[in-house]
Amino acid sequence: MIRPSTTLLLHDKFGRRISDLRISITDRCNYKCVYCRTGNEGALYGDLAFTDYLRMARVLVGMGITKVRLTGGEPLLRKGVVEFVRELSQLRASDGSKDGDPLDIALTTNGHLLAELAQPLKGAGLTRVTVSMDAVDPDRFARITRVPGGYDRVLAGIRAARRAGLWPLKVNCVLMRGFNEDQVIPFGMFAREEGVVVRFIEFMPLEEDRVWSPETVVRLEEILARMAEYRPLVEIPHARSETARRYRFDDGIGEIGIIAPVSHPFCGHCSRIRITCDGKIRTCLFSVWDHDLYAEMRRGASDEEMAEFIRGVVAKKEERHHIGEPDFVPASRTMVHIGG
Ligand code: SAM
């Protein structure tokens, strides 16, 4: 295994250290959320064998990746995901100064299959889980996911994850005007009652339906103002690389976060790269090209050659996104085909 020295850790040309890897293990999904997938298209790109993702992850961990998040599509649709987590958990992270820390392995899921899988995933070495949930009432939930009957399953999944000790447990809610902006206070109550961190995400132009406009975005200030009608919030200091601004309620019970890539971009502190389900590296959600790491593997590249390829790709990482600007060019893939 390649072991990073501090000089060999992955950095881009803007000096950002790349420590966070997201792997999409499928672009299939069983939900058709209005802000994400039309439902007319299923998987567009083929999945790789888990052994291929594992080799990519091993090389990248050797370059200083310390966090791996599995995503999709819906990652829990992939058979063998528990075993894959077990294999990943054997890798040891290194930031160049010391060796041997366990990798931080997280999962983003819609939660539909989580009730059955939370305990096995925890047993295999999963550290944390984030569940996407965009309403706290079953009818509204079905209107957003465009699949009936999911709400109770997702709630059961969240509770199973908590019982399994997958902690901290985060619930992501994309707010989209006309669908769920009135869910802010109900989610504040939910965070307090269920003991989860609810994070509101501003809607980004990464959906298949192409309905995004600046007016559809429910911005950070509006979310804060709506929540303040319920209870005062106190901001919690957060790490610069953290995507969410964090707040607790004034009585100390319950935490929420706001991820505001549209109104308050955090590209300057971005530490992420992504591998798509078909083995391409993406340096930004809004990239207009992919870099074919899997093709390098197929042509027989050694680990060192793969590392060299990755280094060249990371050097091209975009400085920032251009959402809402006149020169904005839509990403070459939508969210479900990148991995959120
Ligand atoms: N299926 C899993 C899930 O539902 O969490 C993982 C994949 S999903 C694409 C990952 C995350 O991206 C989810 O939290 C989802 O809400 C978010 N997402 C999808 N489309 C988005 C958009 N257009 N703007 C902001 N967030 C989006």
Side-chain angles (χ1 to χ4, degrees):
M1 171 175 166
I2 304 163
R3 180 157 283 130
S5 73
T6 36
T7 49
L8 288 179
L9 293 174
L10 263 184
H11 286 91
D12 70 8
K13 66 172 181 279
F14 303 104
R16 294 173 296 193
R17 163 130 143 70
I18 307 303
S19 56
D20 187 341
L21 170 67
R22 302 196 172 192
I23 308 177
S24 168
I25 58 175
T26 179
D27 63 344
R28 283 179 292 137
C29 193
N30 45 351
Y31 282 6
K32 303 168 195 165
C33 299
V34 286
Y35 55 80
C36 188
R37 204 167 86 76
T38 60
N40 298 326
E41 293 172 13
L44 281 187
Y45 305 90
D47 306 340
L48 300 186
F50 280 126
T51 46
D52 294 325
Y53 300 127
L54 193 62
R55 179 163 176 220
M56 293 175 182
R58 185 165 50 76
V59 170
L60 277 151
V61 168
M63 302 173 82
I65 291 289
T66 55
K67 289 187 202 167
V68 176
R69 177 173 292 276
L70 305 185
T71 180
E74 173 46 42
L76 297 188
L77 289 178
R78 244 341 259 273
K79 298 262 179 302
V81 63
V82 173
E83 274 317 304
F84 180 48
V85 168
R86 200 183 311 283
E87 298 282 345
L88 276 177
S89 72
Q90 304 305 311
L91 300 179
R92 284 290 164 265
S94 170
D95 64 2
S97 57
K98 56 180 172 27
D99 261 359
D101 286 338
L103 209 55
D104 181 8
I105 307 173
L107 170 83
T108 305
T109 172
N110 62 27
H112 195 85
L113 299 171
L114 188 58
E116 304 90 88
L117 286 168
Q119 190 60 58
L121 284 165
K122 173 72 181 175
L126 189 74
T127 328
R128 301 181 283 132
V129 67
T130 300
V131 180
S132 304
M133 187 185 189
D134 305 298
V136 284
D137 93 81
D139 292 340
R140 187 74 64 86
F141 186 84
R143 187 176 164 229
I144 293 170
T145 56
R146 298 188 277 202
V147 170
Y151 181 77
D152 290 340
R153 292 188 65 109
V154 174
L155 193 56
I158 290 172
R159 291 176 177 165
R162 193 181 45 203
R163 275 197 305 278
L166 287 165
W167 201 258
L169 183 51
K170 294 177 184 157
V171 170
N172 277 358
C173 166
V174 178
L175 287 174
M176 191 174 163
R177 196 167 309 285
F179 278 91
N180 60 351
E181 71 266 44
D182 61 346
Q183 293 289 297
V184 170
I185 292 178
F187 265 117
M189 295 174 176
F190 185 83
R192 289 160 65 84
E193 284 159 15
E194 296 287 331
V196 297
V197 179
V198 172
R199 302 185 321 163
F200 299 101
I201 307 180
E202 289 179 347
F203 175 36
M204 292 180 278
L206 284 166
E207 77 294 8
E208 288 182 345
D209 280 355
R210 296 293 180 214
V211 292
W212 189 94
S213 71
E215 295 70 40
T216 58
V217 181
V218 183
R219 288 164 194 261
L220 178 137
E221 284 77 12
E222 179 177 341
I223 300 167
L224 287 178
R226 282 177 182 266
M227 197 62 94
E229 288 170 20
Y230 167 51
R231 278 202 83 97
L233 290 168
V234 180
E235 189 157 6
I236 306 172
H238 65 280
R240 279 176 7 140
S241 60
E242 254 182 287
T243 51
R245 297 187 180 210
R246 299 171 57 195
Y247 305 85
R248 63 173 172 75
F249 289 100
D250 62 332
D251 61 357
I253 302 169
E255 179 179 330
I256 66 151
I258 304 180
I259 302 176
V262 179
S263 66
H264 297 76
F266 36 81
C267 307
H269 306 297
C270 182
S271 55
R272 281 172 289 287
I273 57 168
R274 293 175 159 81
I275 291 180
T276 59
C277 57
D278 56 342
K280 310 270 170 48
I281 300 176
R282 289 188 67 96
T283 46
C284 172
L285 276 175
F286 292 94
S287 291
V288 289
W289 46 66
D290 308 316
H291 307 271
D292 199 346
L293 183 60
Y294 184 53
E296 294 300 301
M297 275 174 57
R298 258 192 337 228
R299 73 161 184 80
S302 64
D303 285 3
E304 285 71 19
E305 286 168 334
M306 283 172 65
E308 214 34 59
F309 178 82
I310 292 165
R311 211 173 292 289
V313 167
V314 166
K316 296 181 199 140
K317 185 171 162 69
E318 296 80 350
E319 184 174 16
R320 63 183 186 88
H321 70 63
H322 294 263
I323 300 176
E325 297 174 21
D327 61 347
F328 177 73
V329 179
S332 56
R333 295 190 187 196
T334 51
M335 186 72 119
V336 66
H337 304 298
I338 300 170

